[in-house]
Amino acid sequence: HVVLEEDQPIVRNSGERIPCLELRNRIPKKISKTYFKLLQNDLWIPCQNLIHKVPEITRNLWFDRLMIERLESKIVEMEKSLSQNHNNWEETFYQFLSKNFGIKINAEPFEQLAKSIPLLTLTKHKTNLLQLEALLFGQAGMLEGPFKDAYPKKLQKEYQFLKQKYHLTPLNKGVWKFMRLRPANFPTIRIAQFAMLIFQSVHLFSKTLAAKNIKEIENMLQVNVSNYWQNHYVFDKASRKRNKSFGKNSIHLIIINTVVPFLFLYGKKKSEDRFKEKALHFLETLFPEDNKIIKKWKNLGFEPSSSYQSQAMLQLKNSYCNVKKCTNCAIGNAILTL
């Protein structure tokens, strides 16, 4: 029995005392004092007043480990889905790609949408954008009308035929969230962009594996919307004509959250380190994310040079600092021995 302070002897049912190792007098007072200071403060990260004293090489080596740890945690769900899809890489990649098109607020409905209509079904109609939109908007539950515009009426008619042909069951329209979203991120626009992606590219995962550099991935994900959506954000409500191409920031988030983990998982499954190395290289090539957590790190004087470092910082904050796992952290351990 190992305790900090033995305030009560522990005995077996027989009354025999269980041997106990008390740590209080075995831990240097300076380490103990620093540890409790980390544990009890309410700073954004427990060690923010001390982290600058940790050697840069210690931080960088720990960031390397955190980056791999973050990738390993991301691929757990992907590995599970891959198994459920009978090791169909294209189908699994398509489902996670769809999920990330929904950004955080509509990620779950987008995942449900992809699972409600197999990639093989969409592939059969890959040369007809109208049919692709009919299938996707119909399955999203957004073609239940009535409509005033001619285009949604055409989609509705097309979907009714395809729904019967493939025995499809649409989602409930109520699962989609529009509130607190910029119009450019409305699920209607994201679905239109996703339809265009399927229209422009087939075998998306195979193309990802074959890509020689990040530019090829960016080009693959660079999509616009069909004519109707150029001046609409929702059905039957015209708006000023605007460019609604998939933005570079959105493309980079897709690469970080879908492309990179899938490359890493593929390399792991196939025992081919070149795909793991490509995944890490892509992260080193991309600019760091610009979110609330990264801005806080910058305020503390830590400016990530790439997505590789910013992903490590996110892992550090969420998995260690928030739960005060300082003794499991290389930076925390270094601080305890300063």
Side-chain angles (χ1 to χ4, degrees):
H1 192 202
V2 182
V3 296
L4 179 65
E5 184 176 4
E6 188 183 23
D7 56 349
Q8 181 179 338
I10 305 297
V11 297
R12 304 182 193 279
N13 291 336
S14 64
E16 178 191 1
R17 183 173 176 174
I18 296 175
C20 179
L21 174 62
E22 187 179 54
L23 298 179
R24 176 172 291 281
N25 295 323
R26 297 172 183 268
I27 300 173
K29 288 185 178 180
K30 184 180 178 183
I31 290 179
S32 182
K33 183 179 178 182
T34 303
Y35 174 67
F36 283 109
K37 188 181 290 185
L38 292 174
L39 209 61
Q40 293 166 1
N41 72 56
D42 294 320
L43 299 172
W44 186 70
I45 59 169
C47 65
Q48 71 182 49
N49 293 331
L50 299 167
I51 189 172
H52 295 277
K53 295 181 179 180
V54 176
E56 186 177 1
I57 189 170
T58 302
R59 297 198 303 263
N60 288 340
L61 287 172
W62 181 229
F63 283 171
D64 287 341
R65 177 59 215 151
L66 288 169
M67 184 60 253
I68 300 300
E69 187 180 288
R70 186 166 178 82
L71 276 176
E72 292 282 2
S73 66
K74 283 183 178 183
I75 66 175
V76 170
E77 187 182 353
M78 294 173 175
E79 200 165 6
K80 183 180 177 182
S81 294
L82 183 65
S83 177
Q84 292 170 347
N85 290 327
H86 308 291
N87 288 323
N88 187 326
W89 287 92
E90 291 286 352
E91 184 73 23
T92 309
F93 185 73
Y94 149 73
Q95 290 174 1
F96 277 86
L97 194 62
S98 176
K99 180 179 180 178
N100 280 291
F101 256 75
I103 57 178
K104 199 168 186 178
I105 195 167
N106 280 306
E108 189 175 333
F110 256 96
E111 185 179 18
Q112 292 174 17
L113 174 60
K115 288 181 177 179
S116 77
I117 179 166
L119 177 61
L120 181 60
T121 302
L122 292 177
T123 303
K124 290 176 181 177
H125 301 273
K126 60 182 170 40
T127 59
N128 190 318
L129 184 56
L130 175 74
Q131 291 178 339
L132 288 173
E133 286 200 12
L135 283 165
L136 289 169
F137 280 109
Q139 281 303 98
M142 296 183 182
L143 293 180
E144 295 176 1
F147 297 109
K148 296 182 295 183
D149 291 351
Y151 187 68
K153 287 180 180 178
K154 286 175 68 177
L155 292 178
Q156 189 179 48
K157 183 179 178 181
E158 195 70 40
Y159 176 66
Q160 288 307 318
F161 169 74
L162 295 169
K163 179 184 178 183
Q164 296 298 320
K165 180 179 179 180
Y166 295 114
H167 309 289
L168 299 173
T169 302
L171 305 182
N172 184 328
K173 184 182 178 180
V175 301
W176 300 99
K177 297 177 180 65
F178 288 80
M179 295 291 288
R180 294 187 295 277
L181 280 176
R182 293 189 301 112
N185 287 328
F186 277 2
T188 42
I189 300 302
R190 292 284 178 156
I191 291 172
Q193 291 167 338
F194 194 65
M196 185 65 77
L197 178 64
I198 302 297
F199 178 67
Q200 289 182 183
S201 302
V202 291
H203 307 302
L204 290 165
F205 184 63
S206 298
K207 287 187 175 180
T208 297
L209 290 178
K212 295 182 178 65
N213 52 56
I214 205 80
K215 189 65 180 174
E216 289 184 24
I217 301 289
E218 289 175 339
N219 290 340
M220 181 181 78
L221 296 173
Q222 184 64 57
V223 294
N224 213 308
V225 291
S226 59
N227 290 336
Y228 180 81
W229 295 106
Q230 294 287 344
N231 62 343
H232 288 79
Y233 288 103
V234 293
F235 289 119
D236 284 346
K237 191 174 181 181
S239 61
R240 185 188 303 177
K241 187 172 183 179
R242 288 185 181 276
N243 174 35
K244 297 187 179 77
S245 61
F246 204 44
K248 199 155 190 175
N249 286 340
S250 297
I251 289 173
H252 286 175
L253 287 176
I254 293 280
I255 293 172
I256 291 168
N257 295 313
T258 304
V259 171
V260 165
F262 261 92
L263 285 172
F264 194 85
L265 176 60
Y266 188 82
K268 179 182 176 182
K269 284 283 190 182
K270 302 295 183 181
S271 298
E272 293 198 47
D273 287 345
R274 63 193 177 100
F275 291 107
K276 289 183 178 182
E277 290 166 6
K278 182 190 285 188
L280 296 175
H281 176 67
F282 280 177
L283 286 177
E284 290 170 341
T285 304
L286 290 174
F287 288 115
E289 301 102 299
D290 185 24
N291 54 43
K292 290 180 181 178
I293 292 177
I294 299 304
K295 284 175 181 174
K296 285 273 194 178
W297 278 114
K298 288 179 181 178
N299 289 340
L300 292 178
F302 297 98
E303 180 108 23
S305 59
S306 65
S307 288
Y308 184 99
Q309 285 196 341
S310 60
Q311 283 284 294
M313 288 176 174
L314 291 173
Q315 183 72 4
L316 177 57
K317 171 61 178 169
N318 293 327
S319 297
Y320 291 85
C321 302
N322 285 353
V323 289
K324 297 195 173 182
K325 289 174 67 175
C326 303
T327 54
N328 296 92
C329 170
I331 294 172
N333 273 288
I335 286 170
L336 290 173
T337 56
L338 284 175

